PDB file of all heavy atoms in Angstrom:
ATOM      1  N   LEU K  23       3.534   5.150   7.821  1.00 97.00           N
ATOM      2  CA  LEU K  23       3.585   3.798   7.261  1.00 97.00           C
ATOM      3  C   LEU K  23       3.837   2.749   8.331  1.00 97.00           C
ATOM      4  O   LEU K  23       3.166   1.714   8.360  1.00 97.00           O
ATOM      5  CB  LEU K  23       4.667   3.726   6.175  1.00 97.00           C
ATOM      6  CG  LEU K  23       4.865   2.354   5.512  1.00 97.00           C
ATOM      7  CD1 LEU K  23       3.588   1.875   4.842  1.00 97.00           C
ATOM      8  CD2 LEU K  23       6.009   2.411   4.499  1.00 97.00           C
ATOM      9  N   SER K  24       4.784   2.991   9.224  1.00 97.00           N
ATOM     10  CA  SER K  24       5.112   2.001  10.253  1.00 97.00           C
ATOM     11  C   SER K  24       3.924   1.738  11.168  1.00 97.00           C
ATOM     12  O   SER K  24       3.675   0.593  11.588  1.00 97.00           O
ATOM     13  CB  SER K  24       6.318   2.462  11.070  1.00 97.00           C
ATOM     14  OG  SER K  24       6.059   3.714  11.687  1.00 97.00           O
ATOM     15  N   ASP K  25       3.152   2.790  11.483  1.00 98.00           N
ATOM     16  CA  ASP K  25       1.985   2.625  12.345  1.00 98.00           C
ATOM     17  C   ASP K  25       0.875   1.861  11.630  1.00 98.00           C
ATOM     18  O   ASP K  25       0.195   1.020  12.229  1.00 98.00           O
ATOM     19  CB  ASP K  25       1.457   3.992  12.784  1.00 98.00           C
ATOM     20  CG  ASP K  25       2.419   4.735  13.699  1.00 98.00           C
ATOM     21  OD1 ASP K  25       3.234   4.065  14.365  1.00 98.00           O
ATOM     22  OD2 ASP K  25       2.377   5.974  13.727  1.00 98.00           O
ATOM     23  N   VAL K  26       0.680   2.158  10.355  1.00 98.00           N
ATOM     24  CA  VAL K  26      -0.357   1.466   9.585  1.00 98.00           C
ATOM     25  C   VAL K  26      -0.016  -0.015   9.445  1.00 98.00           C
ATOM     26  O   VAL K  26      -0.876  -0.889   9.588  1.00 98.00           O
ATOM     27  CB  VAL K  26      -0.541   2.132   8.207  1.00 98.00           C
ATOM     28  CG1 VAL K  26      -1.553   1.357   7.366  1.00 98.00           C
ATOM     29  CG2 VAL K  26      -0.997   3.577   8.363  1.00 98.00           C
ATOM     30  N   LEU K  27       1.258  -0.305   9.186  1.00 98.00           N
ATOM     31  CA  LEU K  27       1.688  -1.699   9.033  1.00 98.00           C
ATOM     32  C   LEU K  27       1.554  -2.482  10.334  1.00 98.00           C
ATOM     33  O   LEU K  27       1.461  -3.715  10.312  1.00 98.00           O
ATOM     34  CB  LEU K  27       3.138  -1.761   8.541  1.00 98.00           C
ATOM     35  CG  LEU K  27       3.365  -1.378   7.089  1.00 98.00           C
ATOM     36  CD1 LEU K  27       4.863  -1.279   6.788  1.00 98.00           C
ATOM     37  CD2 LEU K  27       2.719  -2.381   6.151  1.00 98.00           C
ATOM     38  N   ALA K  28       1.537  -1.792  11.458  1.00 97.00           N
ATOM     39  CA  ALA K  28       1.416  -2.462  12.748  1.00 97.00           C
ATOM     40  C   ALA K  28      -0.017  -2.858  13.075  1.00 97.00           C
ATOM     41  O   ALA K  28      -0.253  -3.609  14.019  1.00 97.00           O
ATOM     42  CB  ALA K  28       1.965  -1.559  13.857  1.00 97.00           C
ATOM     43  N   LEU K  29      -0.974  -2.387  12.294  1.00 98.00           N
ATOM     44  CA  LEU K  29      -2.370  -2.730  12.533  1.00 98.00           C
ATOM     45  C   LEU K  29      -2.668  -4.137  12.003  1.00 98.00           C
ATOM     46  O   LEU K  29      -2.147  -4.526  10.955  1.00 98.00           O
ATOM     47  CB  LEU K  29      -3.295  -1.724  11.847  1.00 98.00           C
ATOM     48  CG  LEU K  29      -3.237  -0.284  12.370  1.00 98.00           C
ATOM     49  CD1 LEU K  29      -4.078   0.626  11.479  1.00 98.00           C
ATOM     50  CD2 LEU K  29      -3.716  -0.216  13.815  1.00 98.00           C
ATOM     51  N   PRO K  30      -3.506  -4.911  12.693  1.00 96.00           N
ATOM     52  CA  PRO K  30      -3.827  -6.266  12.240  1.00 96.00           C
ATOM     53  C   PRO K  30      -4.431  -6.278  10.836  1.00 96.00           C
ATOM     54  O   PRO K  30      -5.292  -5.449  10.506  1.00 96.00           O
ATOM     55  CB  PRO K  30      -4.851  -6.744  13.274  1.00 96.00           C
ATOM     56  CG  PRO K  30      -4.617  -5.902  14.483  1.00 96.00           C
ATOM     57  CD  PRO K  30      -4.169  -4.573  13.969  1.00 96.00           C
ATOM     58  N   GLY K  31      -3.959  -7.200  10.003  1.00 95.00           N
ATOM     59  CA  GLY K  31      -4.550  -7.409   8.685  1.00 95.00           C
ATOM     60  C   GLY K  31      -4.070  -6.475   7.600  1.00 95.00           C
ATOM     61  O   GLY K  31      -4.583  -6.526   6.480  1.00 95.00           O
ATOM     62  N   ILE K  32      -3.095  -5.607   7.904  1.00 97.00           N
ATOM     63  CA  ILE K  32      -2.620  -4.656   6.908  1.00 97.00           C
ATOM     64  C   ILE K  32      -1.177  -4.967   6.532  1.00 97.00           C
ATOM     65  O   ILE K  32      -0.279  -4.927   7.370  1.00 97.00           O
ATOM     66  CB  ILE K  32      -2.731  -3.201   7.411  1.00 97.00           C
ATOM     67  CG1 ILE K  32      -4.194  -2.847   7.653  1.00 97.00           C
ATOM     68  CG2 ILE K  32      -2.104  -2.232   6.417  1.00 97.00           C
ATOM     69  CD1 ILE K  32      -4.433  -1.402   8.061  1.00 97.00           C
ATOM     70  N   GLY K  33      -0.979  -5.298   5.257  1.00 96.00           N
ATOM     71  CA  GLY K  33       0.348  -5.527   4.726  1.00 96.00           C
ATOM     72  C   GLY K  33       0.805  -4.339   3.897  1.00 96.00           C
ATOM     73  O   GLY K  33       0.157  -3.287   3.860  1.00 96.00           O
ATOM     74  N   ARG K  34       1.889  -4.529   3.201  1.00 96.00           N
ATOM     75  CA  ARG K  34       2.534  -3.418   2.507  1.00 96.00           C
ATOM     76  C   ARG K  34       1.663  -2.831   1.396  1.00 96.00           C
ATOM     77  O   ARG K  34       1.560  -1.611   1.255  1.00 96.00           O
ATOM     78  CB  ARG K  34       3.876  -3.916   1.944  1.00 96.00           C
ATOM     79  CG  ARG K  34       4.802  -2.819   1.482  1.00 96.00           C
ATOM     80  CD  ARG K  34       6.151  -3.418   1.119  1.00 96.00           C
ATOM     81  NE  ARG K  34       6.982  -2.449   0.419  1.00 96.00           N
ATOM     82  CZ  ARG K  34       8.182  -2.744  -0.119  1.00 96.00           C
ATOM     83  NH1 ARG K  34       8.646  -3.984  -0.013  1.00 96.00           N
ATOM     84  NH2 ARG K  34       8.875  -1.815  -0.751  1.00 96.00           N
ATOM     85  N   THR K  35       1.025  -3.680   0.605  1.00 96.00           N
ATOM     86  CA  THR K  35       0.183  -3.180  -0.478  1.00 96.00           C
ATOM     87  C   THR K  35      -1.056  -2.463   0.053  1.00 96.00           C
ATOM     88  O   THR K  35      -1.416  -1.378  -0.425  1.00 96.00           O
ATOM     89  CB  THR K  35      -0.238  -4.329  -1.406  1.00 96.00           C
ATOM     90  OG1 THR K  35       0.880  -4.684  -2.229  1.00 96.00           O
ATOM     91  CG2 THR K  35      -1.383  -3.918  -2.319  1.00 96.00           C
ATOM     92  N   THR K  36      -1.714  -3.050   1.057  1.00 97.00           N
ATOM     93  CA  THR K  36      -2.889  -2.408   1.642  1.00 97.00           C
ATOM     94  C   THR K  36      -2.523  -1.069   2.260  1.00 97.00           C
ATOM     95  O   THR K  36      -3.242  -0.072   2.089  1.00 97.00           O
ATOM     96  CB  THR K  36      -3.533  -3.325   2.691  1.00 97.00           C
ATOM     97  OG1 THR K  36      -3.895  -4.564   2.064  1.00 97.00           O
ATOM     98  CG2 THR K  36      -4.769  -2.692   3.301  1.00 97.00           C
ATOM     99  N   ALA K  37      -1.389  -1.024   2.960  1.00 98.00           N
ATOM    100  CA  ALA K  37      -0.937   0.243   3.544  1.00 98.00           C
ATOM    101  C   ALA K  37      -0.693   1.283   2.458  1.00 98.00           C
ATOM    102  O   ALA K  37      -1.064   2.450   2.601  1.00 98.00           O
ATOM    103  CB  ALA K  37       0.333   0.010   4.365  1.00 98.00           C
ATOM    104  N   GLY K  38      -0.079   0.854   1.349  1.00 97.00           N
ATOM    105  CA  GLY K  38       0.169   1.773   0.247  1.00 97.00           C
ATOM    106  C   GLY K  38      -1.117   2.299  -0.357  1.00 97.00           C
ATOM    107  O   GLY K  38      -1.231   3.489  -0.679  1.00 97.00           O
ATOM    108  N   GLY K  39      -2.100   1.420  -0.502  1.00 96.00           N
ATOM    109  CA  GLY K  39      -3.378   1.846  -1.052  1.00 96.00           C
ATOM    110  C   GLY K  39      -4.063   2.880  -0.174  1.00 96.00           C
ATOM    111  O   GLY K  39      -4.634   3.861  -0.670  1.00 96.00           O
ATOM    112  N   ILE K  40      -3.996   2.689   1.143  1.00 98.00           N
ATOM    113  CA  ILE K  40      -4.635   3.624   2.070  1.00 98.00           C
ATOM    114  C   ILE K  40      -3.889   4.954   2.111  1.00 98.00           C
ATOM    115  O   ILE K  40      -4.484   6.033   2.000  1.00 98.00           O
ATOM    116  CB  ILE K  40      -4.700   3.021   3.488  1.00 98.00           C
ATOM    117  CG1 ILE K  40      -5.555   1.747   3.487  1.00 98.00           C
ATOM    118  CG2 ILE K  40      -5.248   4.037   4.482  1.00 98.00           C
ATOM    119  CD1 ILE K  40      -5.436   0.927   4.760  1.00 98.00           C
ATOM    120  N   LEU K  41      -2.567   4.887   2.266  1.00 98.00           N
ATOM    121  CA  LEU K  41      -1.778   6.110   2.454  1.00 98.00           C
ATOM    122  C   LEU K  41      -1.740   6.973   1.193  1.00 98.00           C
ATOM    123  O   LEU K  41      -1.689   8.202   1.285  1.00 98.00           O
ATOM    124  CB  LEU K  41      -0.365   5.756   2.905  1.00 98.00           C
ATOM    125  CG  LEU K  41      -0.262   5.211   4.340  1.00 98.00           C
ATOM    126  CD1 LEU K  41       1.145   4.720   4.635  1.00 98.00           C
ATOM    127  CD2 LEU K  41      -0.678   6.267   5.351  1.00 98.00           C
ATOM    128  N   THR K  42      -1.758   6.346   0.023  1.00 97.00           N
ATOM    129  CA  THR K  42      -1.761   7.156  -1.195  1.00 97.00           C
ATOM    130  C   THR K  42      -3.139   7.768  -1.447  1.00 97.00           C
ATOM    131  O   THR K  42      -3.247   8.940  -1.806  1.00 97.00           O
ATOM    132  CB  THR K  42      -1.337   6.325  -2.423  1.00 97.00           C
ATOM    133  OG1 THR K  42      -2.180   5.163  -2.535  1.00 97.00           O
ATOM    134  CG2 THR K  42       0.110   5.903  -2.336  1.00 97.00           C
ATOM    135  N   ALA K  43      -4.203   6.989  -1.228  1.00 96.00           N
ATOM    136  CA  ALA K  43      -5.550   7.492  -1.502  1.00 96.00           C
ATOM    137  C   ALA K  43      -6.010   8.510  -0.462  1.00 96.00           C
ATOM    138  O   ALA K  43      -6.682   9.490  -0.795  1.00 96.00           O
ATOM    139  CB  ALA K  43      -6.546   6.333  -1.574  1.00 96.00           C
ATOM    140  N   ALA K  44      -5.657   8.291   0.807  1.00 97.00           N
ATOM    141  CA  ALA K  44      -6.139   9.175   1.876  1.00 97.00           C
ATOM    142  C   ALA K  44      -5.214  10.352   2.139  1.00 97.00           C
ATOM    143  O   ALA K  44      -5.679  11.450   2.455  1.00 97.00           O
ATOM    144  CB  ALA K  44      -6.333   8.371   3.158  1.00 97.00           C
ATOM    145  N   PHE K  45      -3.901  10.130   2.001  1.00 97.00           N
ATOM    146  CA  PHE K  45      -2.933  11.165   2.394  1.00 97.00           C
ATOM    147  C   PHE K  45      -1.988  11.574   1.260  1.00 97.00           C
ATOM    148  O   PHE K  45      -1.088  12.384   1.481  1.00 97.00           O
ATOM    149  CB  PHE K  45      -2.115  10.673   3.592  1.00 97.00           C
ATOM    150  CG  PHE K  45      -2.963  10.263   4.774  1.00 97.00           C
ATOM    151  CD1 PHE K  45      -3.121   8.923   5.098  1.00 97.00           C
ATOM    152  CD2 PHE K  45      -3.610  11.216   5.545  1.00 97.00           C
ATOM    153  CE1 PHE K  45      -3.898   8.532   6.189  1.00 97.00           C
ATOM    154  CE2 PHE K  45      -4.388  10.834   6.638  1.00 97.00           C
ATOM    155  CZ  PHE K  45      -4.531   9.496   6.957  1.00 97.00           C
ATOM    156  N   ASN K  46      -2.174  10.990   0.071  1.00 95.00           N
ATOM    157  CA  ASN K  46      -1.342  11.300  -1.097  1.00 95.00           C
ATOM    158  C   ASN K  46       0.148  11.114  -0.815  1.00 95.00           C
ATOM    159  O   ASN K  46       0.999  11.862  -1.314  1.00 95.00           O
ATOM    160  CB  ASN K  46      -1.603  12.727  -1.595  1.00 95.00           C
ATOM    161  CG  ASN K  46      -1.278  12.880  -3.079  1.00 95.00           C
ATOM    162  OD1 ASN K  46      -1.545  11.979  -3.876  1.00 95.00           O
ATOM    163  ND2 ASN K  46      -0.697  14.000  -3.460  1.00 95.00           N
ATOM    164  N   GLN K  47       0.467  10.090  -0.030  1.00 97.00           N
ATOM    165  CA  GLN K  47       1.864   9.792   0.271  1.00 97.00           C
ATOM    166  C   GLN K  47       2.433   8.861  -0.805  1.00 97.00           C
ATOM    167  O   GLN K  47       1.743   7.947  -1.268  1.00 97.00           O
ATOM    168  CB  GLN K  47       1.993   9.143   1.647  1.00 97.00           C
ATOM    169  CG  GLN K  47       1.618  10.057   2.797  1.00 97.00           C
ATOM    170  CD  GLN K  47       1.836   9.393   4.142  1.00 97.00           C
ATOM    171  OE1 GLN K  47       2.531   8.383   4.261  1.00 97.00           O
ATOM    172  NE2 GLN K  47       1.241   9.957   5.188  1.00 97.00           N
ATOM    173  N   PRO K  48       3.669   9.050  -1.205  1.00 96.00           N
ATOM    174  CA  PRO K  48       4.257   8.229  -2.278  1.00 96.00           C
ATOM    175  C   PRO K  48       4.684   6.849  -1.788  1.00 96.00           C
ATOM    176  O   PRO K  48       5.860   6.592  -1.544  1.00 96.00           O
ATOM    177  CB  PRO K  48       5.457   9.070  -2.724  1.00 96.00           C
ATOM    178  CG  PRO K  48       5.861   9.831  -1.509  1.00 96.00           C
ATOM    179  CD  PRO K  48       4.587  10.128  -0.758  1.00 96.00           C
ATOM    180  N   VAL K  49       3.707   5.960  -1.633  1.00 97.00           N
ATOM    181  CA  VAL K  49       3.965   4.598  -1.158  1.00 97.00           C
ATOM    182  C   VAL K  49       3.524   3.626  -2.253  1.00 97.00           C
ATOM    183  O   VAL K  49       2.368   3.667  -2.681  1.00 97.00           O
ATOM    184  CB  VAL K  49       3.198   4.306   0.152  1.00 97.00           C
ATOM    185  CG1 VAL K  49       3.581   2.925   0.686  1.00 97.00           C
ATOM    186  CG2 VAL K  49       3.482   5.387   1.190  1.00 97.00           C
ATOM    187  N   PRO K  50       4.415   2.740  -2.720  1.00 97.00           N
ATOM    188  CA  PRO K  50       4.044   1.840  -3.823  1.00 97.00           C
ATOM    189  C   PRO K  50       3.096   0.737  -3.378  1.00 97.00           C
ATOM    190  O   PRO K  50       2.910   0.484  -2.179  1.00 97.00           O
ATOM    191  CB  PRO K  50       5.396   1.259  -4.250  1.00 97.00           C
ATOM    192  CG  PRO K  50       6.226   1.285  -2.999  1.00 97.00           C
ATOM    193  CD  PRO K  50       5.800   2.537  -2.268  1.00 97.00           C
ATOM    194  N   ILE K  51       2.496   0.064  -4.358  1.00 97.00           N
ATOM    195  CA  ILE K  51       1.640  -1.092  -4.106  1.00 97.00           C
ATOM    196  C   ILE K  51       2.090  -2.237  -5.016  1.00 97.00           C
ATOM    197  O   ILE K  51       2.764  -2.025  -6.027  1.00 97.00           O
ATOM    198  CB  ILE K  51       0.158  -0.775  -4.360  1.00 97.00           C
ATOM    199  CG1 ILE K  51      -0.063  -0.336  -5.822  1.00 97.00           C
ATOM    200  CG2 ILE K  51      -0.352   0.276  -3.384  1.00 97.00           C
ATOM    201  CD1 ILE K  51      -1.527  -0.173  -6.201  1.00 97.00           C
ATOM    202  N   LEU K  52       1.702  -3.448  -4.641  1.00 96.00           N
ATOM    203  CA  LEU K  52       2.053  -4.603  -5.471  1.00 96.00           C
ATOM    204  C   LEU K  52       1.014  -5.710  -5.252  1.00 96.00           C
ATOM    205  O   LEU K  52       1.327  -6.774  -4.740  1.00 96.00           O
ATOM    206  CB  LEU K  52       3.468  -5.103  -5.146  1.00 96.00           C
ATOM    207  CG  LEU K  52       4.075  -6.107  -6.125  1.00 96.00           C
ATOM    208  CD1 LEU K  52       4.293  -5.482  -7.492  1.00 96.00           C
ATOM    209  CD2 LEU K  52       5.381  -6.685  -5.593  1.00 96.00           C
ATOM    210  N   ASP K  53      -0.223  -5.431  -5.659  1.00 94.00           N
ATOM    211  CA  ASP K  53      -1.242  -6.472  -5.574  1.00 94.00           C
ATOM    212  C   ASP K  53      -1.173  -7.352  -6.822  1.00 94.00           C
ATOM    213  O   ASP K  53      -0.272  -7.207  -7.659  1.00 94.00           O
ATOM    214  CB  ASP K  53      -2.627  -5.858  -5.382  1.00 94.00           C
ATOM    215  CG  ASP K  53      -3.112  -5.089  -6.607  1.00 94.00           C
ATOM    216  OD1 ASP K  53      -2.335  -4.920  -7.566  1.00 94.00           O
ATOM    217  OD2 ASP K  53      -4.278  -4.653  -6.608  1.00 94.00           O
ATOM    218  N   GLY K  54      -2.128  -8.262  -6.970  1.00 92.00           N
ATOM    219  CA  GLY K  54      -2.087  -9.186  -8.101  1.00 92.00           C
ATOM    220  C   GLY K  54      -2.149  -8.485  -9.440  1.00 92.00           C
ATOM    221  O   GLY K  54      -1.448  -8.876 -10.392  1.00 92.00           O
ATOM    222  N   ASN K  55      -2.984  -7.445  -9.539  1.00 93.00           N
ATOM    223  CA  ASN K  55      -3.065  -6.692 -10.788  1.00 93.00           C
ATOM    224  C   ASN K  55      -1.732  -6.052 -11.144  1.00 93.00           C
ATOM    225  O   ASN K  55      -1.289  -6.095 -12.298  1.00 93.00           O
ATOM    226  CB  ASN K  55      -4.140  -5.593 -10.675  1.00 93.00           C
ATOM    227  CG  ASN K  55      -5.548  -6.125 -10.895  1.00 93.00           C
ATOM    228  OD1 ASN K  55      -5.744  -7.084 -11.620  1.00 93.00           O
ATOM    229  ND2 ASN K  55      -6.504  -5.494 -10.257  1.00 93.00           N
ATOM    230  N   VAL K  56      -1.104  -5.428 -10.159  1.00 96.00           N
ATOM    231  CA  VAL K  56       0.153  -4.715 -10.415  1.00 96.00           C
ATOM    232  C   VAL K  56       1.271  -5.696 -10.750  1.00 96.00           C
ATOM    233  O   VAL K  56       2.087  -5.445 -11.653  1.00 96.00           O
ATOM    234  CB  VAL K  56       0.523  -3.835  -9.210  1.00 96.00           C
ATOM    235  CG1 VAL K  56       1.857  -3.118  -9.460  1.00 96.00           C
ATOM    236  CG2 VAL K  56      -0.577  -2.814  -8.936  1.00 96.00           C
ATOM    237  N   LYS K  57       1.313  -6.821 -10.082  1.00 96.00           N
ATOM    238  CA  LYS K  57       2.320  -7.836 -10.419  1.00 96.00           C
ATOM    239  C   LYS K  57       2.194  -8.262 -11.873  1.00 96.00           C
ATOM    240  O   LYS K  57       3.192  -8.415 -12.582  1.00 96.00           O
ATOM    241  CB  LYS K  57       2.159  -9.064  -9.511  1.00 96.00           C
ATOM    242  CG  LYS K  57       2.602  -8.855  -8.086  1.00 96.00           C
ATOM    243  CD  LYS K  57       2.362 -10.116  -7.269  1.00 96.00           C
ATOM    244  CE  LYS K  57       2.727  -9.912  -5.808  1.00 96.00           C
ATOM    245  NZ  LYS K  57       2.442 -11.131  -4.999  1.00 96.00           N
ATOM    246  N   ARG K  58       0.953  -8.468 -12.312  1.00 96.00           N
ATOM    247  CA  ARG K  58       0.729  -8.913 -13.695  1.00 96.00           C
ATOM    248  C   ARG K  58       1.165  -7.836 -14.689  1.00 96.00           C
ATOM    249  O   ARG K  58       1.827  -8.129 -15.690  1.00 96.00           O
ATOM    250  CB  ARG K  58      -0.749  -9.249 -13.879  1.00 96.00           C
ATOM    251  CG  ARG K  58      -1.085  -9.806 -15.258  1.00 96.00           C
ATOM    252  CD  ARG K  58      -2.498 -10.329 -15.304  1.00 96.00           C
ATOM    253  NE  ARG K  58      -3.507  -9.323 -15.021  1.00 96.00           N
ATOM    254  CZ  ARG K  58      -4.184  -9.228 -13.877  1.00 96.00           C
ATOM    255  NH1 ARG K  58      -3.952 -10.074 -12.896  1.00 96.00           N
ATOM    256  NH2 ARG K  58      -5.089  -8.284 -13.710  1.00 96.00           N
ATOM    257  N   ILE K  59       0.814  -6.576 -14.420  1.00 97.00           N
ATOM    258  CA  ILE K  59       1.203  -5.472 -15.306  1.00 97.00           C
ATOM    259  C   ILE K  59       2.715  -5.376 -15.412  1.00 97.00           C
ATOM    260  O   ILE K  59       3.277  -5.296 -16.520  1.00 97.00           O
ATOM    261  CB  ILE K  59       0.627  -4.139 -14.781  1.00 97.00           C
ATOM    262  CG1 ILE K  59      -0.894  -4.121 -14.874  1.00 97.00           C
ATOM    263  CG2 ILE K  59       1.215  -2.960 -15.566  1.00 97.00           C
ATOM    264  CD1 ILE K  59      -1.530  -2.985 -14.089  1.00 97.00           C
ATOM    265  N   LEU K  60       3.390  -5.386 -14.272  1.00 96.00           N
ATOM    266  CA  LEU K  60       4.839  -5.202 -14.271  1.00 96.00           C
ATOM    267  C   LEU K  60       5.552  -6.401 -14.877  1.00 96.00           C
ATOM    268  O   LEU K  60       6.567  -6.249 -15.559  1.00 96.00           O
ATOM    269  CB  LEU K  60       5.335  -4.942 -12.849  1.00 96.00           C
ATOM    270  CG  LEU K  60       4.763  -3.696 -12.157  1.00 96.00           C
ATOM    271  CD1 LEU K  60       5.400  -3.516 -10.788  1.00 96.00           C
ATOM    272  CD2 LEU K  60       4.964  -2.451 -13.014  1.00 96.00           C
TER     273      LEU K  60
END
């Protein structure tokens, strides 16, 4: 996670989307859709 977040243009939600989809890591997301649901 720390390495992904250090890449240009990647914030917490984008990192979570990549790490969960590619590596099945338990990292949360909070994009506009998720904010509205919660």
Side-chain angles (χ1 to χ4, degrees):
L23 179 60
S24 59
D25 293 335
V26 176
L27 287 172
L29 295 173
I32 297 184
R34 194 173 169 186
T35 284
T36 302
I40 298 168
L41 289 173
T42 55
F45 304 107
N46 206 39
Q47 294 183 16
V49 185
I51 60 173
L52 192 65
D53 68 353
N55 279 330
V56 178
K57 287 178 183 178
R58 184 171 60 255
I59 293 167
L60 300 183

